[in-house]
Amino acid sequence: MSSAERKARTAELLAKARECPPGERDDLLQEVIVLNIPVARTLASRYRNRGQSADELEQVACLALTRAVQSFDPERGDDLLVFAVPSILGELKRHFRSAAWAVRPPRRIQEIRPRVVAAEEELAQHLGRPPTPQELADELDCPVAEVEEALACGDLVHAASLDEPVAATGSPLGDLLPEIEPGFEHSEAIAMLGPACRKLKARDRRILQMRFYEQRTQQEIADELGVTQVQVSRLLQRIFTDLRRAVGVDPKPRAA
């Protein structure tokens, strides 16, 4: 069906729906929706290859078409598409703003990026080279900082898979990521406790070394120091209290 035939048939169905009872009106509006689905699909196709599946884009466009048909007022004109097309395009743009970014930049950057991309292509053909951010800013009459942000956020739409091979090596990206070094999670504690431990007496440092680095039992420590196991336990508690004070922690347990 040609666009002229579709327009005429749509106007005819909408005119009939206006005069029909609710049940019959719904059937006629459903026919209008089905008749204009090719238009919705054509509009959705403009946004292909931008990280969203064609089926999902068509679904968004068809839902927008359905809402437009249901809210269309024939008294304001007989051309449904004059009203429906901007509604469908607006819904597609909102879909990309809300769902298409792996990492979402500010809305002003999301809105200016399509203009930057279009201006970049046009100026590149005119200049015979890629335009500079300043040239793009002059063309769009906007701050150069916003143009630079829009250019930089191009990679935020798609998240790279860790299984994707890297061109330089052929290895999966996940295999090239650095592993967490042993003890990394304890680095903050070590940085805090280091100065505090250096302030301890030599005997206290020796007790800590035997208990936590050499993994000796309290009885083994007591045998080496010539004291009882109970005394070693009390020495450890006192050392812990001194360390807590040194790092700014209240050594007294709080009441429940």
Side-chain angles (χ1 to χ4, degrees):
M1 181 180 292
S2 67
S3 58
E5 291 172 337
R6 181 183 295 110
K7 177 181 177 181
R9 179 58 177 162
T10 296
E12 179 184 348
L13 291 170
L14 289 173
K16 288 182 179 179
R18 185 180 177 187
E19 306 297 333
C20 290
E24 189 176 345
R25 178 178 181 274
D26 291 341
D27 292 338
L28 292 172
L29 293 182
Q30 183 66 31
E31 189 175 346
V32 171
I33 293 169
V34 173
L35 185 65
N36 288 275
I37 281 178
V39 177
R41 288 174 174 166
T42 299
L43 295 175
S45 68
R46 298 182 184 182
Y47 294 87
R48 287 178 180 170
N49 302 320
R50 297 190 185 184
Q52 297 290 294
S53 68
D55 289 343
E56 186 172 357
L57 292 174
E58 289 182 3
Q59 182 179 17
V60 171
C62 289
L63 287 174
L65 170 65
T66 300
R67 287 192 290 269
V69 170
Q70 292 173 344
S71 60
F72 179 67
D73 184 1
E75 292 185 357
R76 298 185 178 181
D78 61 352
D79 192 347
L80 169 69
L81 296 183
V82 171
F83 171 73
V85 169
S87 298
I88 296 171
L89 291 176
E91 193 63 34
L92 286 166
K93 291 176 182 179
R94 280 190 292 273
H95 172 72
F96 272 92
R97 283 200 300 266
S98 62
W101 296 86
V103 179
R104 188 179 301 177
R107 180 170 178 175
R108 59 184 174 81
I109 300 302
Q110 295 180 37
E111 292 176 345
I112 196 177
R113 177 165 169 76
R115 297 174 54 208
V116 170
V117 171
E120 187 176 27
E121 294 176 355
E122 184 176 345
L123 285 177
Q125 293 180 0
H126 177 70
L127 299 172
R129 59 172 174 78
T132 65
Q134 184 62 60
E135 289 170 337
L136 288 169
D138 293 341
E139 176 71 16
L140 298 173
D141 191 23
C142 65
V144 67
E146 290 191 0
V147 170
E148 291 174 340
E149 284 188 71
L151 292 171
C153 78
D155 293 334
L156 301 182
V157 177
H158 308 287
S161 170
L162 293 178
D163 295 326
E164 182 178 350
V166 177
T169 64
S171 301
L173 177 60
D175 292 348
L176 302 178
L177 295 177
E179 296 182 356
I180 297 177
E181 293 292 334
F184 179 79
E185 296 179 351
H186 306 295
S187 59
E188 184 177 359
I190 293 172
M192 293 178 63
L193 288 173
C197 288
R198 286 191 287 271
K199 294 179 181 179
L200 295 175
K201 295 179 181 180
R203 186 191 188 201
D204 291 346
R205 291 199 300 271
R206 176 59 182 153
I207 291 173
L208 289 178
Q209 180 178 347
M210 287 189 290
R211 183 69 183 92
F212 295 103
Y213 287 87
E214 299 175 10
Q215 300 296 314
R216 297 196 195 185
T217 66
Q218 291 186 6
Q219 187 59 57
E220 289 172 339
I221 297 172
D223 293 342
E224 179 157 328
L225 296 180
V227 298
T228 67
Q229 182 269 329
V230 173
Q231 287 176 307
V232 171
S233 177
R234 291 173 179 171
L235 284 169
L236 285 169
Q237 291 300 320
R238 193 262 304 161
I239 294 170
F240 296 155
T241 298
D242 291 344
L243 290 175
R244 290 190 184 97
R245 287 198 181 100
V247 298
V249 177
D250 186 359
K252 297 181 180 180
R254 296 184 178 180

